[in-house]
Amino acid sequence: MIMKTNVSSYFPMITLLILLVIPSSYLGDAEIIGYPSFVNGPNSWRNTPSSDFSFWESAGVRPILVYGKFVFGFQCSFEGDNCLIVVSIFKTSSDGNSRFSPQVVWAAGRNNPVEIQALLELTSQGQLILKDANDTLVWSPSTASKSISRLTLGSEGSLKLLDKTNLTVWQSFGHPTDVLFLGQKLASGQKLRSSVSPFDSSEGLFAFGIIDGVFTAYIDSDPYQMYYRSFVSEDQSYAEFRTGGFGSLIMAAPANFIQLGSDGHLKAYEFKEQGLKWVGTDMLDIDQCSYPLACGKYGVCSETGCSCPDDASENETAYFKPNNFTADDGCHAISPISCELSLYHGFLELRRINTRYLDYILSSKTLQLEDCKEACLKNCSCRAIMYNGRNKCLLLSQVFSIEKKEGFDYATTFIKVQSSPIFSQSPSRNPSSPNFPRRKRQNTIVIVGSLLGTIFGVFLIFSFLFLNLKMVSKNMRKII
C-alpha cells in the first residue's frame, strides 16, 4: 500500500530528508534496540510518542514486533494525528547508510485511523483489541471462541495469532488490503481493495478478486462495472503470488509484492535499497482507455485523448466543461441535475462506446430503449444509461470515463442532462440537441396552454366587471 498524507502519510518528503541526514552510527544504535518477533498475552501497547528522536520515530513508526525487514506496530502521519496498525517493510542498505523506505503491506481497520494514546491489547481472555484514545473499539480480528495466547510476526511478513498449542487461529495473509506479498494467496471470494487516493488510505472504489473462477477487476459502484476478466489458472479456487507470476498473470521480472492502485492499475513492485521500483508493465493487459477513471468522471477517452461528452458536437448549448484546463481529470455538468426540475431532464447521446463486459452484469430481462429512458427519467439518482442495441440497458448512478472506439459501434450511452425551461420548449432548433422525450414536450405544452387559458379567462372576467361598473356609474350620473 503506497503511503498516505491525509489519513496515513507515513513518509512525507520532509521525513525522508530527515532520514537522509541521520548518521549511520545512529542507525546502528537503533538496530541494537531489541524488538521481539512475538509476544505472549496478556500484554498491551499504547500509541505514545517517544521523547527521543529515534530511527523509528523519525518515520512515524512505533514498533511492537520486528522480524528481519518487517515491522508491526503503530504508524502515524508526520503530524501524528492519524495512525494505523500496520505491517511494513523496512529494508536498509547493506553498506550501513541510512537510506530506506517504509512500505505498508497490510493495515488493520484502514477506514478508521486512531489517535495518539490509542491502545492495542492482547487481553487475558485471549482477544486482540484495538481501542482509540477515547476507549472506543476500532478493530478486533474475528477469532470466534478460540483463545489467543501469542501474537507473532512471521518471516514472510504475515501477522499471526496463535493458541496455546501454537496453532494459527488468524493471520493477516487471509485478510489482504490492497497488497499481496510474495507467497500470499488470494482465494475465491477474497479481494484487493484500492485506496481512495495516494493521499487517503481508506477504501476506494476499485476491487480485484476471483469471481466464478475468473480474475475480475471492477469499480465497486451500483451497479458494479467490470473492466478486466481473465481465467485464473487450472485451479480456479485460488491464486498464489509466486516468483514470476500470479495465476495466469505473468511478470517480466522478480517482484516482492503486487498492489491495486487508487487508479485501478494492478502493478508489481520490487523493494530496493533506493526505494520502491515498479517492475515491468501493468499486470492487466488492457489499454489505458479501458480503465474506468482514465479521463476522470464524465470524461470521454479516445485515441486522441480526453474530452468532455459534448466537445465534439455542434451544440449551441454546452452541457459539460473540464474540471481543470483540460479534460484529463474529468468533466462536470454546467447545470447539475435537479430533482425539482425533472421536467427538463433529457439525454445527450454518445455512440460507438465500448461497453466491455456489459453483458455479464445485465439482467436477462429485455427492455426497449424508450422504456429504459423512461425508467432513468423517473429515477433522479440515475445519471446515464448504457444500451447495447439488443433491448438490454443498464441504469448508472455514476458516470465514469467513457471509452470511445472509432470504427466500432459497440453500444450507445445516453447521459442525463439538465436543460433550462426555455431551451426544452424548442429542442428541435438544433439537430445535435439532447433528446428530450415527447412526454416532456407535451407536458410543457399542456402547462403553458393551461396557464395562457387561465390568464385569458381572468382578463375576460376583469373586463366584464370593468364594463359593468362603468355602465352603472354612467346610469347613476343620469339619475342625479
Side-chain angles (χ1 to χ4, degrees):
M1 185 174 358
I2 298 298
M3 310 311 296
K4 318 298 188 290
T5 301
N6 182 18
V7 174
S8 49
S9 55
Y10 307 114
F11 60 101
M13 185 61 68
I14 189 169
T15 301
L16 293 178
L17 292 175
I18 292 173
L19 293 173
L20 290 174
V21 299
I22 299 176
S24 57
S25 59
Y26 204 142
L27 266 180
D29 293 339
E31 291 170 345
I32 292 174
I33 299 175
Y35 288 96
S37 61
F38 69 89
V39 290
N40 295 321
N43 215 324
S44 63
W45 303 268
R46 182 75 67 175
N47 184 24
T48 305
S50 172
S51 57
D52 298 328
F53 188 74
S54 66
F55 170 78
W56 304 108
E57 287 287 340
S58 64
V61 177
R62 297 176 188 115
I64 295 173
L65 303 176
V66 176
Y67 196 115
K69 59 180 175 290
F70 297 104
V71 177
F72 167 72
F74 288 99
Q75 200 152 321
C76 305
S77 64
F78 182 72
E79 294 80 10
D81 56 349
N82 290 301
C83 307
L84 292 173
I85 282 286
V86 304
V87 175
S88 298
I89 306 171
F90 273 74
K91 188 173 182 181
T92 57
S93 310
S94 58
D95 58 6
N97 63 41
S98 60
R99 291 177 300 176
F100 84 107
S101 295
Q103 170 65 44
V104 173
V105 294
W106 179 82
R110 57 194 292 212
N111 289 335
N112 300 291
V114 296
E115 301 174 347
I116 299 300
Q117 300 303 323
L119 179 70
L120 181 68
E121 184 178 11
L122 184 56
T123 69
S124 56
Q125 291 77 30
Q127 291 181 307
L128 185 65
I129 297 174
L130 174 63
K131 294 182 179 180
D132 211 341
N134 59 4
D135 209 36
T136 301
L137 178 64
V138 175
W139 173 81
S140 181
S142 177
T143 55
S145 58
K146 298 179 181 178
S147 180
I148 303 166
S149 63
R150 176 173 291 187
L151 175 66
T152 180
L153 182 62
S155 60
E156 76 284 5
S158 181
L159 184 71
K160 297 180 180 180
L161 300 177
L162 309 180
D163 63 14
K164 293 181 180 179
T165 62
N166 283 335
L167 290 178
T168 300
V169 175
W170 179 94
Q171 60 177 327
S172 61
F173 268 22
H175 304 271
T177 51
D178 62 348
V179 166
L180 276 183
F181 210 72
L182 194 61
Q184 191 172 355
K185 295 179 180 179
L186 186 69
S188 179
Q190 292 180 330
K191 62 183 177 182
L192 301 181
R193 188 66 176 264
S194 70
S195 296
V196 169
S197 73
F199 311 104
D200 186 345
S201 64
S202 55
E203 290 184 348
L205 288 173
F206 293 100
F208 177 86
I210 300 174
I211 300 178
D212 298 329
V214 178
F215 274 143
T216 305
Y218 59 98
I219 193 162
D220 202 0
S221 58
D222 183 22
Y224 72 94
Q225 298 178 46
M226 286 183 280
Y227 61 97
Y228 178 82
R229 282 175 61 87
S230 175
F231 287 107
V232 178
S233 59
E234 293 182 1
D235 188 340
Q236 298 176 5
S237 61
Y238 76 96
E240 182 178 352
F241 177 35
R242 301 174 179 174
T243 301
F246 175 50
S248 59
L249 304 178
I250 307 300
M251 290 172 293
N256 299 110
F257 64 90
I258 56 179
Q259 180 193 33
L260 181 64
S262 59
D263 56 1
H265 292 250
L266 187 69
K267 296 181 180 179
Y269 293 90
E270 185 179 12
F271 204 88
K272 296 283 190 179
E273 273 81 3
Q274 296 79 10
L276 202 61
K277 179 184 178 183
W278 174 24
V279 178
T281 57
D282 199 319
M283 295 181 68
L284 305 182
D285 187 22
I286 56 178
D287 58 61
Q288 181 63 25
C289 281
S290 295
Y291 288 96
L293 289 177
C295 290
K297 291 186 177 182
Y298 282 100
V300 178
C301 187
S302 65
E303 294 180 355
T304 58
C306 299
S307 61
C308 290
D310 50 3
D311 274 2
S313 73
E314 298 176 356
N315 231 338
E316 295 179 12
T317 302
Y319 289 91
F320 294 91
K321 65 179 180 179
N323 291 334
N324 296 315
F325 295 105
T326 66
D328 293 349
D329 295 325
C331 306
H332 65 275
I334 297 174
S335 297
I337 298 296
S338 170
C339 294
E340 289 73 20
L341 296 175
S342 59
L343 182 65
Y344 307 110
H345 291 173
F347 292 104
L348 190 64
E349 182 177 339
L350 299 179
R351 297 184 178 181
R352 298 186 300 276
I353 301 303
N354 185 359
T355 54
R356 186 179 304 181
Y357 310 126
L358 180 61
D359 288 340
Y360 286 101
I361 53 179
L362 284 172
S363 64
S364 58
K365 181 180 179 181
T366 60
L367 199 63
Q368 297 288 336
L369 177 59
E370 292 304 318
D371 295 331
C372 184
K373 288 182 178 180
E374 190 73 14
C376 184
L377 290 169
K378 289 180 179 179
N379 184 356
C380 189
S381 63
C382 178
R383 291 293 180 266
I385 61 174
M386 300 180 77
Y387 185 73
N388 68 354
R390 297 184 296 276
N391 291 338
K392 286 189 177 182
C393 75
L394 185 69
L395 275 64
L396 305 177
S397 59
Q398 297 187 66
V399 181
F400 302 106
S401 294
I402 301 167
E403 183 181 3
K404 193 166 186 178
K405 287 283 189 180
E406 295 298 332
F408 293 91
D409 194 9
Y410 292 123
T412 304
T413 294
F414 297 87
I415 302 176
K416 184 188 286 186
V417 292
Q418 181 80 49
S419 177
S420 67
I422 296 176
F423 177 74
S424 66
Q425 292 175 27
S426 56
S428 60
R429 65 174 181 170
N430 190 321
S432 60
S433 296
N435 176 23
F436 290 87
R438 179 172 295 180
R439 72 176 184 90
K440 298 297 183 182
R441 298 197 294 270
Q442 290 174 344
N443 289 344
T444 302
I445 293 172
V446 171
I447 292 173
V448 173
S450 299
L451 182 61
L452 291 176
T454 302
I455 294 173
F456 183 70
V458 172
F459 173 76
L460 289 177
I461 292 172
F462 273 99
S463 298
F464 178 76
L465 292 175
F466 176 76
L467 291 175
N468 281 346
L469 287 174
K470 188 175 181 180
M471 290 179 65
V472 170
S473 177
K474 184 178 181 180
N475 292 334
M476 289 294 294
R477 284 198 299 268
K478 287 181 179 181
I479 293 173
I480 293 173

